[in-house]
Amino acid sequence: MLKNGYRYTKTMVLGEELLKDTGNRYRFVNQRASKGNAEKGLEAGATVTLQIVEDHSKLVIDKATGLEQDNNVLETFDCTILGVAYPLPYKKGDYVALENFDASLSYYINFSFILRFHGIKLLKSANLQGQGSVSNAAAGQAK
């Protein structure tokens, strides 16, 4: 058996399906700087914690109990927005949408998602239409 075999595995994340199932609408919880890693092709940016506010995914039935499993509403997750200036101009409770999912730099390992995007935008709370987009093209303007 290969010890530390996790180094050689990478499980693909279906990021576009995640965005579709959750309506690409999240509540902004927190942020921290992300240093990036030039050797791995990762730009510096911001890692954000987001709360899922809706989940339209298919119901899952637990095989052992036959009961319906809970959905992801109110769960939180972290993702990194590459190429943006930290801090992002958002505050706790803002509604945001993610942009430009990067499947080549995202993966699932050891029961954890490593999600990377190249943009995030503020949604108006009244009608939830996009405004205040921050992407790596606007990285210098995020401060």
Side-chain angles (χ1 to χ4, degrees):
M1 178 182 268
L2 185 64
K3 289 186 179 184
N4 300 316
Y6 68 90
R7 296 178 191 168
Y8 311 108
T9 62
K10 182 176 176 183
T11 303
M12 183 174 48
V13 174
L14 304 175
E16 295 303 327
E17 285 188 36
L18 171 70
L19 295 176
K20 181 181 157 233
D21 286 349
T22 59
N24 194 12
R25 186 170 69 106
Y26 311 98
R27 201 156 199 198
F28 192 84
V29 177
N30 198 5
Q31 66 178 305
R32 61 187 180 280
S34 174
K35 293 181 182 180
N37 185 331
E39 290 177 12
K40 295 182 180 181
L42 298 173
E43 301 173 85
T47 297
V48 298
T49 301
L50 303 175
Q51 182 182 48
I52 296 172
V53 294
E54 60 186 83
D55 185 359
H56 303 288
S57 59
K58 293 180 184 177
L59 296 177
V60 176
I61 304 299
D62 187 300
K63 292 178 184 179
T65 65
L67 299 174
E68 183 181 305
Q69 290 184 350
D70 200 7
N71 63 27
N72 288 313
V73 173
L74 300 181
E75 298 293 333
T76 60
F77 67 98
D78 290 343
C79 63
T80 301
I81 315 302
L82 302 170
V84 297
Y86 174 82
L88 295 170
Y90 309 133
K91 61 185 184 307
K92 186 181 276 194
D94 283 345
Y95 286 92
V96 297
L98 296 166
E99 299 177 323
N100 302 320
F101 174 68
D102 193 328
S104 67
L105 297 174
S106 300
Y107 54 95
Y108 179 78
I109 189 166
N110 294 336
F111 304 101
S112 296
F113 282 104
I114 307 300
L115 301 171
R116 299 196 172 108
F117 294 82
H118 291 280
I120 186 171
K121 66 181 177 181
L122 180 66
L123 299 174
K124 289 183 182 179
S125 32
N127 59 12
L128 297 175
Q129 292 180 358
Q131 129 182 341
S133 182
V134 176
S135 65
N136 56 4
Q141 300 171 356
K143 284 189 178 180

PDB file of all heavy atoms in Angstrom, residues 4 16 18 31 45 48 59 78 81 97 122:
ATOM      1  N   ASN A   4       0.701   7.941   2.097  1.00  0.00           N
ATOM      2  CA  ASN A   4       0.528   9.322   1.638  1.00  0.00           C
ATOM      3  C   ASN A   4       0.151   9.405   0.162  1.00  0.00           C
ATOM      4  O   ASN A   4       0.593  10.282  -0.569  1.00  0.00           O
ATOM      5  CB  ASN A   4       1.783  10.158   1.914  1.00  0.00           C
ATOM      6  CG  ASN A   4       2.112  10.198   3.389  1.00  0.00           C
ATOM      7  OD1 ASN A   4       1.216  10.375   4.210  1.00  0.00           O
ATOM      8  ND2 ASN A   4       3.364  10.005   3.726  1.00  0.00           N
ATOM      9  N   GLU A  16     -19.806  24.123 -11.876  1.00  0.00           N
ATOM     10  CA  GLU A  16     -20.952  24.749 -12.541  1.00  0.00           C
ATOM     11  C   GLU A  16     -22.266  24.169 -12.009  1.00  0.00           C
ATOM     12  O   GLU A  16     -23.250  24.885 -11.881  1.00  0.00           O
ATOM     13  CB  GLU A  16     -20.852  24.592 -14.054  1.00  0.00           C
ATOM     14  CG  GLU A  16     -19.661  25.328 -14.676  1.00  0.00           C
ATOM     15  CD  GLU A  16     -19.630  26.822 -14.398  1.00  0.00           C
ATOM     16  OE1 GLU A  16     -20.702  27.452 -14.290  1.00  0.00           O
ATOM     17  OE2 GLU A  16     -18.517  27.370 -14.273  1.00  0.00           O
ATOM     18  N   LEU A  18     -22.670  23.011  -8.926  1.00  0.00           N
ATOM     19  CA  LEU A  18     -22.812  23.606  -7.594  1.00  0.00           C
ATOM     20  C   LEU A  18     -23.443  24.989  -7.706  1.00  0.00           C
ATOM     21  O   LEU A  18     -24.392  25.315  -6.982  1.00  0.00           O
ATOM     22  CB  LEU A  18     -21.449  23.695  -6.899  1.00  0.00           C
ATOM     23  CG  LEU A  18     -21.413  24.495  -5.599  1.00  0.00           C
ATOM     24  CD1 LEU A  18     -22.162  23.764  -4.496  1.00  0.00           C
ATOM     25  CD2 LEU A  18     -19.981  24.766  -5.183  1.00  0.00           C
ATOM     26  N   GLN A  31     -13.652  36.901   5.215  1.00  0.00           N
ATOM     27  CA  GLN A  31     -12.595  36.849   4.211  1.00  0.00           C
ATOM     28  C   GLN A  31     -11.228  36.915   4.864  1.00  0.00           C
ATOM     29  O   GLN A  31     -11.085  37.409   5.985  1.00  0.00           O
ATOM     30  CB  GLN A  31     -12.746  37.983   3.203  1.00  0.00           C
ATOM     31  CG  GLN A  31     -12.540  39.374   3.778  1.00  0.00           C
ATOM     32  CD  GLN A  31     -12.657  40.440   2.723  1.00  0.00           C
ATOM     33  OE1 GLN A  31     -11.973  40.401   1.707  1.00  0.00           O
ATOM     34  NE2 GLN A  31     -13.542  41.422   2.958  1.00  0.00           N
ATOM     35  N   GLY A  45      -4.897  36.450  -3.796  1.00  0.00           N
ATOM     36  CA  GLY A  45      -6.279  36.919  -3.853  1.00  0.00           C
ATOM     37  C   GLY A  45      -6.896  36.931  -2.477  1.00  0.00           C
ATOM     38  O   GLY A  45      -6.252  37.320  -1.504  1.00  0.00           O
ATOM     39  N   VAL A  48     -12.712  33.453   0.788  1.00  0.00           N
ATOM     40  CA  VAL A  48     -13.953  33.916   1.404  1.00  0.00           C
ATOM     41  C   VAL A  48     -14.735  32.737   1.979  1.00  0.00           C
ATOM     42  O   VAL A  48     -14.657  31.622   1.466  1.00  0.00           O
ATOM     43  CB  VAL A  48     -14.829  34.689   0.396  1.00  0.00           C
ATOM     44  CG1 VAL A  48     -14.114  35.933  -0.093  1.00  0.00           C
ATOM     45  CG2 VAL A  48     -15.242  33.825  -0.777  1.00  0.00           C
ATOM     46  N   LEU A  59     -33.009  15.493  -4.348  1.00  0.00           N
ATOM     47  CA  LEU A  59     -33.061  14.909  -3.011  1.00  0.00           C
ATOM     48  C   LEU A  59     -32.209  13.644  -2.973  1.00  0.00           C
ATOM     49  O   LEU A  59     -32.160  12.883  -3.934  1.00  0.00           O
ATOM     50  CB  LEU A  59     -34.495  14.567  -2.629  1.00  0.00           C
ATOM     51  CG  LEU A  59     -35.462  15.744  -2.515  1.00  0.00           C
ATOM     52  CD1 LEU A  59     -36.866  15.236  -2.212  1.00  0.00           C
ATOM     53  CD2 LEU A  59     -35.007  16.710  -1.462  1.00  0.00           C
ATOM     54  N   ASP A  78     -15.703  27.502   2.015  1.00  0.00           N
ATOM     55  CA  ASP A  78     -14.659  28.454   1.652  1.00  0.00           C
ATOM     56  C   ASP A  78     -14.315  28.296   0.184  1.00  0.00           C
ATOM     57  O   ASP A  78     -14.358  27.188  -0.358  1.00  0.00           O
ATOM     58  CB  ASP A  78     -13.389  28.214   2.467  1.00  0.00           C
ATOM     59  CG  ASP A  78     -13.535  28.591   3.928  1.00  0.00           C
ATOM     60  OD1 ASP A  78     -14.480  29.319   4.268  1.00  0.00           O
ATOM     61  OD2 ASP A  78     -12.693  28.161   4.735  1.00  0.00           O
ATOM     62  N   ILE A  81     -10.819  33.451  -4.334  1.00  0.00           N
ATOM     63  CA  ILE A  81     -11.000  34.299  -5.504  1.00  0.00           C
ATOM     64  C   ILE A  81      -9.598  34.738  -5.919  1.00  0.00           C
ATOM     65  O   ILE A  81      -8.934  35.497  -5.204  1.00  0.00           O
ATOM     66  CB  ILE A  81     -11.886  35.529  -5.198  1.00  0.00           C
ATOM     67  CG1 ILE A  81     -13.130  35.145  -4.394  1.00  0.00           C
ATOM     68  CG2 ILE A  81     -12.229  36.254  -6.486  1.00  0.00           C
ATOM     69  CD1 ILE A  81     -14.032  34.123  -5.033  1.00  0.00           C
ATOM     70  N   ALA A  97     -22.377  36.649  -5.674  1.00  0.00           N
ATOM     71  CA  ALA A  97     -22.378  35.568  -6.655  1.00  0.00           C
ATOM     72  C   ALA A  97     -20.930  35.339  -7.082  1.00  0.00           C
ATOM     73  O   ALA A  97     -20.127  36.273  -7.122  1.00  0.00           O
ATOM     74  CB  ALA A  97     -23.238  35.929  -7.861  1.00  0.00           C
ATOM     75  N   LEU A 122     -21.187  41.563  -6.016  1.00  0.00           N
ATOM     76  CA  LEU A 122     -22.212  41.903  -5.033  1.00  0.00           C
ATOM     77  C   LEU A 122     -23.575  41.842  -5.702  1.00  0.00           C
ATOM     78  O   LEU A 122     -23.742  42.292  -6.833  1.00  0.00           O
ATOM     79  CB  LEU A 122     -21.963  43.318  -4.490  1.00  0.00           C
ATOM     80  CG  LEU A 122     -22.929  43.838  -3.445  1.00  0.00           C
ATOM     81  CD1 LEU A 122     -22.798  43.028  -2.158  1.00  0.00           C
ATOM     82  CD2 LEU A 122     -22.658  45.298  -3.176  1.00  0.00           C
TER      83      LEU A 122
END
